[in-house]
Amino acid sequence: MLQPYRDVLARPGALAFSSTGVLARMPMSMVGIGIVLMVEAIYDSYGLAGRVSAVFVVAQAVGSPQIARLVDRYGQARVMRPALLTSAAGIALLVLAATLHAHPAWLYAAAVLAGATIGSFGALVRARWNHALGDDPRGVHTAFSLESALDELVFVVGPVLATVLATSVAPSAGLVVPVVAMLVGGLAFLAQRRTEPPAAGTRTTGDGSHGTVLRSPGMVVLVLVFVGMGAIFGATDVATVAFAEEAGRPALAGAVLAVFALGSLVSGLLYGARHWTSPLHLRFALGVIALAVGVCAFFLAQSLAVLAVVMFVVGFAIAPSIINGNALVQGLVPPGRLTEGLTWVSTALGVGVSVGSSVAGSRIDAGGAHAGFLVVVVAGAGALVATLVALPVLRPRPDAGTPAAAPGDAAPGAGGEVRQGEVRQVEDLSPSATGGASVAACETASEVAPRRETPGA
């Protein structure tokens, strides 16, 4: 199973930019919760903590796609070095302001500065993979699967690490560590110029390289679906914490959430080790269906043990859905706009997390943990409806970039020849006759679930 991953990581420079990229994106799972923990501890206000965190997320949602457009136009290092230093300065200012117990206005200002300039290193890493493996569509599929699994690893380790640091070392420690990781990993990543994708420059190509990628109806659908998926994750985090507290075992909340991410990590690795022939947009829909239906079981769980088992199984639908969503971006945007497109879906996920956690928190205050899980169900239903209603527009556009072709090139046809205007998905070149993210999830889950005890079931 690991051989496909060994093959892609053996490419020149691949292991270096992938590993430093993991370190650089530690903030995506630590800064939000770090802000909440620090502000609440110092100002004794969950309300203020939530508002400052929300300001950071909104600023990131507005700023990251704009930074991505500049990256596509001028190059990763030229744009992201000053952006990275500015964002780190913003987080440092936030820590300083909170430590001095400054007026909340300073907290908001620092959160805006940090969020608007932080960018998306996940999108930068995937753009490098696409550049490095443009001649190997199966390799791109494996590489994107690897990065999704690494994202899940970040979300397994990050929140737990931020919580331990903030509660055991100092309230601000949960933010200091991600800043250091971002600077060390980010600067090391950007120093690797040989693997950096070429900048599109200011040339006019007539391929839709100007304006916003959201002019594509398919991209709008993807953004909406990813907001819904993010809301699932955000609401699940808050509802799980409340559920653990109601069960008298608050310390187990982090472990249960880690099991959720672990299921996704395993499925991402399994999914990336295989290649698929079924249409990519249909497999994306199947993954969203599996996720939306699966989270309904959270509402029915009556014990932490049952919830953990259910989360592990449902987690198998997460990584394949995100992998397929990122792959769809390549078929929906012009070749020179890939970083921007990937950043939009990444940002949408973050916005959804913020919205989901906020709404779930208010519902939990009114009706307990199961009211929070009801928000999870509603978010899943919203993502499902958006996917099914707009499924036809998720087909790739004729002039879009694909993993089978480097930017600006036509896709290779059968036998290796180039056919003008032909677009093929990564998995179209695969020999596997089985298909579907949910199929992979269900197959693996069916092997795992019977071996696990489910107390209270």
Side-chain angles (χ1 to χ4, degrees), residues 193-263:
R193 301 302 296 270
R194 289 189 303 172
T195 55
E196 180 178 348
T202 59
R203 65 184 183 274
T204 301
T205 62
D207 63 353
S209 58
H210 296 279
T212 174
V213 296
L214 293 185
R215 291 191 301 179
S216 163
M219 278 301 303
V220 173
V221 171
L222 271 185
V223 167
L224 292 176
V225 173
F226 270 73
V227 168
M229 291 171 62
I232 290 174
F233 306 147
T236 298
D237 288 350
V238 179
T240 301
V241 171
F243 189 82
E245 289 179 350
E246 291 177 2
R249 307 291 297 274
L252 292 181
V256 174
L257 291 172
V259 168
F260 193 28
L262 180 62

Coordinates of all heavy atoms in Angstrom, one line a residue, residues 193-263:
R193 N 13.4 26.8 -4.2 CA 13.0 27.4 -5.4 C 12.9 26.5 -6.6 O 12.2 26.7 -7.6 CB 14.0 28.6 -5.8 CG 14.0 29.7 -4.7 CD 12.7 30.3 -4.4 NE 12.2 31.0 -5.5 CZ 12.4 32.3 -5.7 NH1 13.2 33.0 -4.9 NH2 11.9 32.9 -6.8
R194 N 13.7 25.4 -6.6 CA 13.7 24.5 -7.7 C 12.3 23.8 -8.0 O 12.0 23.4 -9.1 CB 14.7 23.4 -7.6 CG 16.2 23.9 -7.7 CD 17.1 22.7 -7.7 NE 17.0 21.9 -6.6 CZ 17.6 20.7 -6.4 NH1 18.4 20.3 -7.4 NH2 17.5 20.0 -5.3
T195 N 11.6 23.6 -6.9 CA 10.2 22.9 -7.0 C 9.1 23.9 -7.1 O 7.9 23.5 -7.2 CB 10.0 22.0 -5.9 OG1 10.2 22.7 -4.6 CG2 11.0 20.8 -5.9
E196 N 9.4 25.2 -7.1 CA 8.3 26.2 -7.1 C 7.7 26.3 -8.5 O 8.4 26.4 -9.5 CB 8.9 27.6 -6.7 CG 7.8 28.7 -6.7 CD 8.4 30.0 -6.3 OE1 9.6 30.1 -5.8 OE2 7.7 31.1 -6.5
P197 N 6.4 26.3 -8.6 CA 5.7 26.4 -9.9 C 6.0 27.8 -10.5 O 6.2 28.8 -9.8 CB 4.2 26.3 -9.6 CG 4.2 25.7 -8.2 CD 5.4 26.1 -7.5
P198 N 6.1 27.8 -11.8 CA 6.4 29.1 -12.5 C 5.2 30.1 -12.3 O 4.1 29.6 -12.3 CB 6.6 28.7 -14.0 CG 5.9 27.4 -14.1 CD 6.0 26.7 -12.8
A199 N 5.6 31.3 -12.2 CA 4.5 32.4 -12.0 C 3.9 32.6 -13.4 O 4.5 32.5 -14.5 CB 5.1 33.6 -11.5
A200 N 2.5 32.8 -13.4 CA 1.8 33.1 -14.6 C 2.2 34.4 -15.2 O 2.0 34.7 -16.4 CB 0.3 33.0 -14.4
G201 N 2.6 35.4 -14.3 CA 3.0 36.7 -14.8 C 1.7 37.5 -15.1 O 0.6 37.2 -14.7
T202 N 1.9 38.6 -15.9 CA 0.8 39.5 -16.2 C 0.2 39.3 -17.6 O -0.6 40.1 -18.0 CB 1.2 41.0 -16.0 OG1 2.4 41.2 -16.9 CG2 1.7 41.2 -14.6
R203 N 0.7 38.3 -18.3 CA 0.2 38.1 -19.6 C -1.3 37.8 -19.7 O -1.9 37.2 -18.8 CB 1.0 37.0 -20.3 CG 0.7 35.6 -19.7 CD 1.6 34.5 -20.4 NE 1.3 33.2 -19.8 CZ 1.8 32.7 -18.8 NH1 2.7 33.4 -18.1 NH2 1.5 31.5 -18.4
T204 N -1.9 38.2 -20.8 CA -3.3 37.9 -21.0 C -3.4 36.8 -22.0 O -2.9 36.8 -23.1 CB -4.0 39.2 -21.7 OG1 -3.9 40.3 -20.8 CG2 -5.5 38.9 -21.9
T205 N -4.0 35.7 -21.5 CA -4.1 34.5 -22.3 C -5.4 34.2 -22.9 O -5.5 33.3 -23.7 CB -3.7 33.3 -21.4 OG1 -4.6 33.2 -20.3 CG2 -2.3 33.5 -20.8
G206 N -6.4 34.9 -22.4 CA -7.8 34.6 -22.9 C -8.3 33.4 -22.4 O -9.3 32.8 -22.9
D207 N -7.7 32.8 -21.3 CA -8.2 31.5 -20.7 C -9.0 31.8 -19.4 O -9.1 30.8 -18.7 CB -7.0 30.6 -20.5 CG -6.0 31.1 -19.5 OD1 -6.2 32.3 -19.1 OD2 -5.1 30.4 -19.1
G208 N -9.4 33.0 -19.2 CA -10.0 33.3 -17.9 C -9.1 33.5 -16.8 O -9.4 33.3 -15.6
S209 N -7.8 33.9 -17.1 CA -6.8 34.1 -16.1 C -7.0 35.4 -15.3 O -6.2 35.7 -14.4 CB -5.4 34.0 -16.7 OG -5.3 35.0 -17.7
H210 N -8.0 36.2 -15.7 CA -8.3 37.4 -15.0 C -9.7 37.3 -14.4 O -10.5 36.6 -14.8 CB -8.2 38.6 -15.9 CG -6.8 38.9 -16.5 ND1 -5.8 39.5 -15.7 CD2 -6.2 38.5 -17.6 CE1 -4.7 39.5 -16.4 NE2 -4.9 38.9 -17.6
G211 N -9.9 38.2 -13.4 CA -11.2 38.1 -12.7 C -11.1 37.0 -11.6 O -10.0 36.6 -11.2
T212 N -12.2 36.6 -11.1 CA -12.2 35.7 -10.0 C -12.6 34.3 -10.5 O -13.4 34.1 -11.4 CB -13.2 36.1 -8.9 OG1 -13.3 35.0 -7.9 CG2 -14.6 36.3 -9.4
V213 N -12.0 33.2 -9.9 CA -12.3 31.9 -10.2 C -13.8 31.5 -9.9 O -14.3 30.5 -10.3 CB -11.4 30.8 -9.6 CG1 -10.0 31.1 -10.1 CG2 -11.4 30.9 -8.1
L214 N -14.4 32.3 -9.0 CA -15.8 32.1 -8.6 C -16.8 32.4 -9.7 O -18.0 32.2 -9.5 CB -16.1 32.9 -7.4 CG -15.4 32.4 -6.1 CD1 -15.9 33.2 -4.9 CD2 -15.5 30.9 -5.9
R215 N -16.3 32.9 -10.9 CA -17.2 33.0 -12.0 C -17.6 31.6 -12.6 O -18.5 31.5 -13.3 CB -16.5 33.8 -13.1 CG -16.3 35.3 -12.8 CD -15.9 36.1 -14.0 NE -14.6 35.6 -14.6 CZ -14.1 36.1 -15.7 NH1 -14.6 37.1 -16.3 NH2 -12.9 35.6 -16.1
S216 N -16.8 30.6 -12.1 CA -17.2 29.2 -12.5 C -18.3 28.7 -11.6 O -18.1 28.7 -10.4 CB -16.0 28.3 -12.4 OG -16.4 26.9 -12.4
P217 N -19.5 28.3 -12.1 CA -20.5 27.8 -11.2 C -20.1 26.6 -10.4 O -20.5 26.4 -9.3 CB -21.6 27.4 -12.2 CG -21.4 28.2 -13.4 CD -19.9 28.4 -13.5
G218 N -19.2 25.8 -11.0 CA -18.7 24.6 -10.3 C -17.9 25.0 -9.0 O -18.0 24.4 -8.0
M219 N -17.1 26.1 -9.2 CA -16.3 26.5 -8.0 C -17.2 27.1 -6.9 O -17.0 26.9 -5.7 CB -15.3 27.6 -8.5 CG -14.1 27.1 -9.1 SD -13.1 26.0 -7.9 CE -12.9 27.1 -6.5
V220 N -18.3 27.8 -7.3 CA -19.3 28.3 -6.3 C -19.9 27.1 -5.6 O -20.0 27.2 -4.3 CB -20.4 29.1 -7.0 CG1 -21.4 29.5 -6.0 CG2 -19.8 30.4 -7.7
V221 N -20.2 26.1 -6.3 CA -20.8 24.9 -5.6 C -19.8 24.3 -4.7 O -20.1 23.9 -3.5 CB -21.3 23.8 -6.7 CG1 -21.6 22.5 -6.0 CG2 -22.4 24.4 -7.5
L222 N -18.5 24.1 -5.1 CA -17.5 23.5 -4.3 C -17.3 24.3 -3.0 O -17.2 23.8 -1.9 CB -16.2 23.4 -5.0 CG -15.9 22.2 -5.8 CD1 -14.5 22.2 -6.4 CD2 -16.1 20.9 -5.0
V223 N -17.3 25.7 -3.1 CA -17.1 26.5 -2.0 C -18.3 26.3 -1.0 O -18.1 26.2 0.2 CB -17.0 28.0 -2.4 CG1 -17.2 28.9 -1.2 CG2 -15.7 28.3 -3.1
L224 N -19.5 26.3 -1.5 CA -20.7 26.1 -0.6 C -20.6 24.7 0.1 O -20.9 24.6 1.3 CB -22.0 26.2 -1.4 CG -22.3 27.6 -2.0 CD1 -23.5 27.6 -2.8 CD2 -22.5 28.6 -0.8
V225 N -20.2 23.7 -0.7 CA -20.2 22.4 -0.1 C -19.1 22.3 1.0 O -19.3 21.7 2.1 CB -19.9 21.3 -1.2 CG1 -19.7 19.9 -0.5 CG2 -21.1 21.2 -2.1
F226 N -17.9 22.9 0.7 CA -16.9 22.9 1.7 C -17.2 23.8 2.9 O -16.7 23.5 4.0 CB -15.5 23.4 1.1 CG -14.7 22.3 0.5 CD1 -15.1 21.7 -0.7 CD2 -13.6 21.8 1.1 CE1 -14.4 20.6 -1.3 CE2 -12.8 20.8 0.6 CZ -13.2 20.2 -0.6
V227 N -18.0 24.8 2.8 CA -18.5 25.5 3.9 C -19.3 24.6 4.8 O -19.2 24.6 6.0 CB -19.3 26.8 3.5 CG1 -20.0 27.3 4.7 CG2 -18.4 27.8 2.9
G228 N -20.2 23.8 4.1 CA -21.0 22.9 4.8 C -20.2 21.8 5.5 O -20.5 21.4 6.7
M229 N -19.2 21.3 4.9 CA -18.3 20.3 5.5 C -17.6 20.9 6.7 O -17.4 20.3 7.7 CB -17.3 19.8 4.4 CG -18.0 18.9 3.4 SD -16.8 18.5 2.0 CE -15.6 17.6 2.9
G230 N -17.1 22.1 6.5 CA -16.4 22.8 7.6 C -17.4 23.0 8.8 O -16.9 22.8 10.0
A231 N -18.6 23.3 8.5 CA -19.6 23.5 9.6 C -19.8 22.1 10.3 O -20.0 22.1 11.6 CB -20.9 24.0 9.0
I232 N -19.8 21.0 9.6 CA -19.9 19.7 10.2 C -18.7 19.5 11.2 O -18.9 19.2 12.4 CB -19.8 18.6 9.2 CG1 -21.1 18.6 8.3 CG2 -19.6 17.2 9.9 CD1 -21.0 17.6 7.2
F233 N -17.5 19.9 10.8 CA -16.3 19.7 11.7 C -16.4 20.6 12.9 O -16.1 20.2 14.0 CB -15.0 19.9 10.9 CG -15.0 19.0 9.6 CD1 -14.3 19.5 8.5 CD2 -15.5 17.8 9.6 CE1 -14.2 18.7 7.4 CE2 -15.5 17.0 8.5 CZ -14.8 17.5 7.3
G234 N -16.7 21.9 12.6 CA -16.7 22.9 13.7 C -17.8 22.5 14.8 O -17.5 22.6 16.0
A235 N -19.0 22.2 14.3 CA -20.1 21.8 15.2 C -19.8 20.5 16.0 O -20.1 20.4 17.1 CB -21.4 21.7 14.5
T236 N -19.1 19.6 15.3 CA -18.8 18.3 15.9 C -17.8 18.6 17.0 O -17.9 17.9 18.1 CB -18.2 17.4 14.9 OG1 -19.1 17.0 13.9 CG2 -17.7 16.1 15.5
D237 N -16.8 19.4 16.8 CA -15.8 19.7 17.9 C -16.5 20.2 19.1 O -16.2 19.7 20.2 CB -14.8 20.8 17.4 CG -13.8 20.3 16.3 OD1 -13.8 19.1 16.1 OD2 -13.1 21.1 15.7
V238 N -17.4 21.2 19.0 CA -18.0 21.8 20.2 C -19.0 20.8 20.8 O -19.0 20.7 22.0 CB -18.7 23.1 19.8 CG1 -19.4 23.7 21.0 CG2 -17.8 24.1 19.2
A239 N -19.7 20.1 20.0 CA -20.7 19.2 20.5 C -20.1 18.0 21.2 O -20.6 17.5 22.3 CB -21.6 18.7 19.4
T240 N -18.9 17.6 20.7 CA -18.2 16.5 21.4 C -17.7 16.9 22.7 O -17.7 16.1 23.7 CB -17.1 16.0 20.5 OG1 -17.6 15.6 19.2 CG2 -16.3 14.9 21.1
V241 N -17.2 18.1 22.8 CA -16.7 18.6 24.1 C -17.8 18.7 25.1 O -17.7 18.2 26.3 CB -16.1 20.0 24.0 CG1 -15.8 20.7 25.3 CG2 -14.8 19.9 23.2
A242 N -19.0 19.2 24.7 CA -20.2 19.3 25.5 C -20.7 17.9 25.9 O -21.1 17.6 27.1 CB -21.3 20.1 24.8
F243 N -20.6 16.9 25.0 CA -21.1 15.6 25.2 C -20.2 14.9 26.3 O -20.7 14.2 27.2 CB -21.1 14.8 23.9 CG -21.7 13.4 24.0 CD1 -23.1 13.3 23.9 CD2 -20.9 12.3 24.2 CE1 -23.7 12.0 24.0 CE2 -21.5 11.0 24.3 CZ -22.9 10.9 24.2
A244 N -18.9 15.2 26.2 CA -17.9 14.6 27.2 C -18.2 15.2 28.5 O -18.1 14.5 29.6 CB -16.5 14.8 26.7
E245 N -18.4 16.5 28.6 CA -18.7 17.1 29.9 C -20.0 16.6 30.5 O -20.0 16.3 31.7 CB -18.8 18.6 29.7 CG -17.4 19.3 29.4 CD -17.6 20.8 29.2 OE1 -18.7 21.3 29.1 OE2 -16.5 21.5 29.1
E246 N -21.0 16.4 29.7 CA -22.3 15.8 30.2 C -22.1 14.4 30.7 O -22.7 14.0 31.7 CB -23.3 15.9 29.1 CG -23.8 17.3 28.8 CD -24.8 17.3 27.7 OE1 -25.2 16.2 27.2 OE2 -25.2 18.4 27.2
A247 N -21.1 13.7 30.1 CA -20.8 12.3 30.5 C -19.9 12.3 31.7 O -19.6 11.2 32.2 CB -20.2 11.5 29.4
G248 N -19.4 13.4 32.2 CA -18.5 13.5 33.3 C -17.1 13.1 33.0 O -16.3 12.8 33.9
R249 N -16.7 13.1 31.7 CA -15.4 12.7 31.3 C -14.9 13.8 30.3 O -14.5 13.5 29.1 CB -15.4 11.3 30.6 CG -16.0 10.2 31.4 CD -15.2 9.9 32.6 NE -13.9 9.4 32.3 CZ -13.7 8.1 32.0 NH1 -14.7 7.2 32.0 NH2 -12.4 7.7 31.7
P250 N -14.8 15.0 30.7 CA -14.3 16.1 29.8 C -13.0 15.9 29.2 O -12.7 16.3 28.1 CB -14.4 17.4 30.6 CG -14.3 16.9 32.1 CD -15.0 15.6 32.1
A251 N -12.1 15.2 29.9 CA -10.7 15.0 29.4 C -10.7 14.1 28.2 O -9.7 14.0 27.5 CB -9.9 14.4 30.5
L252 N -11.8 13.3 28.0 CA -11.8 12.4 26.8 C -12.2 13.0 25.5 O -12.2 12.4 24.5 CB -12.7 11.2 27.2 CG -12.2 10.2 28.3 CD1 -13.2 9.1 28.4 CD2 -10.8 9.7 27.9
A253 N -12.7 14.3 25.6 CA -13.2 14.9 24.4 C -12.1 15.0 23.3 O -12.4 14.7 22.1 CB -13.7 16.4 24.7
G254 N -10.9 15.4 23.7 CA -9.8 15.4 22.7 C -9.5 14.1 22.1 O -9.2 14.0 20.9
A255 N -9.5 13.0 22.9 CA -9.3 11.7 22.4 C -10.3 11.2 21.4 O -10.0 10.6 20.3 CB -9.2 10.7 23.5
V256 N -11.6 11.6 21.7 CA -12.7 11.2 20.8 C -12.5 11.9 19.4 O -12.7 11.3 18.3 CB -14.0 11.5 21.4 CG1 -15.2 11.2 20.4 CG2 -14.3 10.6 22.6
L257 N -12.2 13.2 19.5 CA -12.0 14.0 18.3 C -10.8 13.5 17.5 O -10.8 13.5 16.2 CB -11.9 15.4 18.6 CG -13.1 16.1 19.1 CD1 -12.9 17.5 19.6 CD2 -14.2 16.1 18.0
A258 N -9.8 13.0 18.2 CA -8.6 12.5 17.5 C -8.9 11.2 16.8 O -8.4 10.9 15.7 CB -7.5 12.2 18.6
V259 N -9.8 10.4 17.4 CA -10.3 9.2 16.7 C -11.0 9.5 15.4 O -10.9 8.8 14.4 CB -11.2 8.4 17.6 CG1 -11.9 7.3 16.9 CG2 -10.4 7.7 18.8
F260 N -11.8 10.6 15.4 CA -12.5 11.1 14.2 C -11.5 11.4 13.1 O -11.6 10.9 12.0 CB -13.3 12.3 14.6 CG -14.3 12.7 13.6 CD1 -14.9 11.9 12.7 CD2 -14.7 14.1 13.5 CE1 -15.9 12.3 11.7 CE2 -15.7 14.5 12.6 CZ -16.2 13.6 11.7
A261 N -10.5 12.2 13.5 CA -9.4 12.5 12.5 C -8.6 11.3 12.1 O -8.2 11.2 10.9 CB -8.5 13.6 13.1
L262 N -8.4 10.4 13.0 CA -7.6 9.2 12.7 C -8.3 8.3 11.6 O -7.7 7.8 10.7 CB -7.4 8.3 13.9 CG -6.6 7.0 13.8 CD1 -5.2 7.3 13.3 CD2 -6.6 6.2 15.1
G263 N -9.7 8.2 11.7 CA -10.4 7.5 10.7 C -10.2 8.1 9.3 O -10.0 7.5 8.3

